[in-house]
Amino acid sequence: AYTCDMFIAYKVTGDKNVPKAETTFKADLSPTFHSGAQNALKPIELTESASKQWGTDQLIRFPGQGQVAAEGFLNSQWMRDN
């Protein structure tokens, strides 16, 4: 799902930690985080074989958060990218 520039992913199938339909991660896709922006994350550099497969030598990264929890969805918390 999208809300403005925020991409929100929901679990299609649950697991013992995060159940079905819960938010699993969020990513800010706003243009302020694209390559060249002052606060942009460093792109992921691809290997030569991956570059040939994907037609580019790097992948743009966006800041986000992933939800983790103990079994039974206890102590759920958001982990930020680093």
Side-chain angles (χ1 to χ4, degrees):
Y2 287 96
T3 302
C4 296
D5 288 329
M6 186 67 66
F7 177 72
I8 303 168
Y10 298 95
K11 297 273 286 199
V12 174
T13 59
D15 58 37
K16 64 183 180 178
N17 299 72
V18 180
K20 179 180 178 179
E22 288 292 337
T23 304
T24 188
F25 71 86
K26 302 183 276 189
D28 185 347
L29 304 181
S30 61
T32 59
F33 294 109
H34 287 211
S35 295
Q38 184 177 4
N39 57 348
L41 296 172
K42 184 178 177 183
I44 297 170
E45 300 293 330
L46 299 177
T47 63
E48 186 176 337
S49 61
S51 294
K52 288 178 184 176
Q53 179 180 354
W54 295 102
T56 185
D57 60 353
Q58 61 185 4
L59 299 176
I60 298 171
R61 294 176 54 212
F62 297 91
Q65 300 176 338
Q67 184 165 214
V68 296
E71 192 169 333
F73 201 48
L74 299 175
N75 302 318
S76 66
Q77 56 187 312
W78 290 98
M79 305 297 288
R80 298 190 68 79
D81 60 343
N82 287 333

